[in-house]
Each structure stands twice: as C-alpha cells, then as structure tokens.
Amino acid sequence: IQAAKKRIGGQAHVTPVMTSRTLDRRVGAAVFLKCENYQRVGAFKFRGAYNAMARLSEQDRRRGVITHSSGNHAQAIALVGRLLGVQTTIVMPKDAPATKRAATAAYGATIVEYDPAEATREEISHDLKRKHGYKLIPPYDHIDIVAGQGTAALELFDQVESLDMLLVPCGGGGLLSGSAIAAKGINPACRVVGIEPQLADDATRSFQTGKLHTVKNPPTIADGTRTPSLGEKITFPLVLKYVDDMKTVSEAAIVEAVQFLFFRMKMVVEPSGALGVAALLSGSVTPQRRVGVIISGGNIDSPTMKMILNT
C-alpha cells in the first residue's frame, strides 16, 4: 500500500476530509469523512485501477485490458487506459447507471453489454479474455487493486491526528480489505468495520460464518455493492484477518444518509458511498470517540437522486 501510494502520486487526487458539527452532535462522536466522491472518475476506484495498470508489462499493455463492472471500476479502468495508452474493454450490465456507462464510453472504452439474468459478467469477461488475449483486471479480487484502494485510508490517517474507528463500504471487499490493512498497520487498536446494505449482506454472512456466501443481483439502491460475493482468493481472507466487524443498513437508512450529505453538507454522494454515514445515523454502529468514514463515490444518476431527494 505504501508503494502504491508512491505509484499513484501525482495521478490520483489527495481527496479532502470533511467534518460536520451537526453530524458529530447527532452521533456523539468526532466524524471525519474521507471524500472519495471528489476523486478522479468520482470514486476511489481510480486508485486501484491506476496502481494495477501502471504495473502491467509492455506485452500486457499491447494486448489490452478487460474488466467487468457496473460502473465505477469501469470508468477508472477506461480513464487509466486513456492515460497510459492501453486499449480497454468493459463488460457492463445493461441496467448499469446511465451516468457511469456514458462516462466509461467517453473515456474511450469498448463496452460489452450483458443481461445479468442470463449470464455472469465473470463468464463473459473470461470468454473474451481467452478469445482476444486481453489482460484481466478484476474489480476487487486482485492484489494490486487492493493495495491501490488501501491508499485512501492511508491518506486519511495522514490527514487526521488519529482514529479509533474506521467505517468502510463493502461490495467485493477491495476497499475494505485495503483500508483495514492500512488502518491496522498505522494503529492496530483502530476498530475497522465494513458496512453493507441489508439486501446485499453476503460479506456480513461470510464474515460471521467463515464461509463464503453469495447474493446474486441484490435489489439494493446501492448499486456499487451488487457484487455477488467477496473475492474468494484475496479479499475474503483479508477481510477475515484484518476487519473487526461487519454491519448492515436498511434501504431507508441509505436514503437518509444521501439526503443528509446533500442537504446538510452540500455533497453529492451515491448510495454505496453513503453506507458509513447511514450506519452512524441509523445506530447500526456504536461510534467510538474519533471515527473515520470512507465516502467511496459520488456517481449517481439523476433519476436515482431525484427519487432519493423526493422521498
């Protein structure tokens, strides 16, 4: 993670840390929001994508890169491909948010659509990899991706004096496992908690049982957490080793958090990015004295935001 921080230096933004007296008062703690919604492509995913692609051999760069993603990782791979001169192909579900799809295309990626009811994105990307010789860079179960994502937490610790607790959204576990490793490396006493929607609680059940659970196409508003499971090879073992607890939040709590961040803090945050704030506001997590929260992204389409703000 330290090496990744040097590698992405000058490419990834050093994102701001925001605070709110109102939020602190409501939850009874000092809360520090690490705002990755202000990262390039509007999400933390740029960190991992740049770290992984910067490490590719010249042969792999010439082959081109393929990945599968509902949006933020897709945009990140597409943008990094443009920056490094690497052809990128992205397998995206046909119901991916319009803003994420449009941005991915604008960065120059080739988009391959699929129907989640008929096939898995992993199957399609592996088939294309075999057919064309592309280099596969998956969204989370990849050590360079995990290291890159962990730089967000590393940076947060550089920006604040200390933290007693760190809340991190969890989809496939790349951000959570990387952040947990960084946090424990700096302060072993810092309590790291992953946050998931109740409707997409595969990681929570996996954490609690020690066996990998799967939830396919969960109907949560937090589209960034619709991954079927943690990564079997890398992120699941890392979560078990470094994360202290997993908690879930309701759809109503996620909506309330997005509303709070918009109306009280003037921040545009996508539902997946608001999970940590949702956990605090709803009482799913009992905060310690100084709490860091990773706001993972701000890529939300207008129909979803309109629905949330009018709820």
Side-chain angles (χ1 to χ4, degrees), residues 208-224:
Q208 291 170 347
T209 64
K211 293 183 177 180
L212 192 63
H213 285 254
T214 299
V215 177
K216 292 186 177 179
N217 303 320
T220 175
I221 193 173
D223 65 280

Side-chain angles (χ1 to χ4, degrees), residues 22-44:
T22 300
L23 180 59
D24 290 355
R25 220 168 23 244
R26 283 189 58 175
V27 306
V31 182
F32 303 89
L33 307 181
K34 178 61 170 166
C35 296
E36 287 294 291
N37 51 315
Y38 298 126
Q39 187 53 263
R40 295 183 77 167
V41 308
F44 74 96

Side-chain angles (χ1 to χ4, degrees), residues 282-306:
S282 66
S284 294
V285 167
T286 301
Q288 298 191 9
R289 191 172 63 89
R290 293 172 64 84
V291 183
V293 179
I294 306 288
I295 302 290
S296 59
N299 294 317
I300 184 169
D301 59 28
S302 55
T304 304
M305 183 58 104
K306 183 178 179 180

Side-chain angles (χ1 to χ4, degrees), residues 162-177:
S162 64
L163 292 173
D164 304 305
M165 174 179 274
L166 181 64
L167 305 183
V168 187
C170 181
L175 177 64
L176 176 57
S177 55

Side-chain angles (χ1 to χ4, degrees), residues 124-227:
I124 296 169
S125 59
H126 279 287
D127 286 345
L128 291 170
K129 173 181 180 287
R130 285 192 294 267
K131 183 177 179 180
H132 299 287
Y134 298 141
K135 178 68 174 180
L136 174 65
I137 299 182
Y140 46 87
D141 209 30
H142 188 291
I143 198 65
D144 292 331
I145 293 289
V146 169
Q149 316 307 27
T151 64
L154 199 61
E155 213 170 84
L156 174 59
F157 276 90
D158 287 342
Q159 293 167 300
V160 298
E161 290 180 9
S162 64
L163 292 173
D164 304 305
M165 174 179 274
L166 181 64
L167 305 183
V168 187
C170 181
L175 177 64
L176 176 57
S177 55
S179 295
I181 293 167
K184 295 297 185 181
I186 294 169
N187 176 15
C190 180
R191 185 169 176 80
V192 180
V193 182
I195 311 296
E196 274 189 312
Q198 289 174 357
L199 295 180
D201 67 342
D202 55 279
T204 301
R205 286 190 280 145
S206 299
F207 180 84
Q208 291 170 347
T209 64
K211 293 183 177 180
L212 192 63
H213 285 254
T214 299
V215 177
K216 292 186 177 179
N217 303 320
T220 175
I221 193 173
D223 65 280
T225 66
R226 291 177 191 157
T227 50

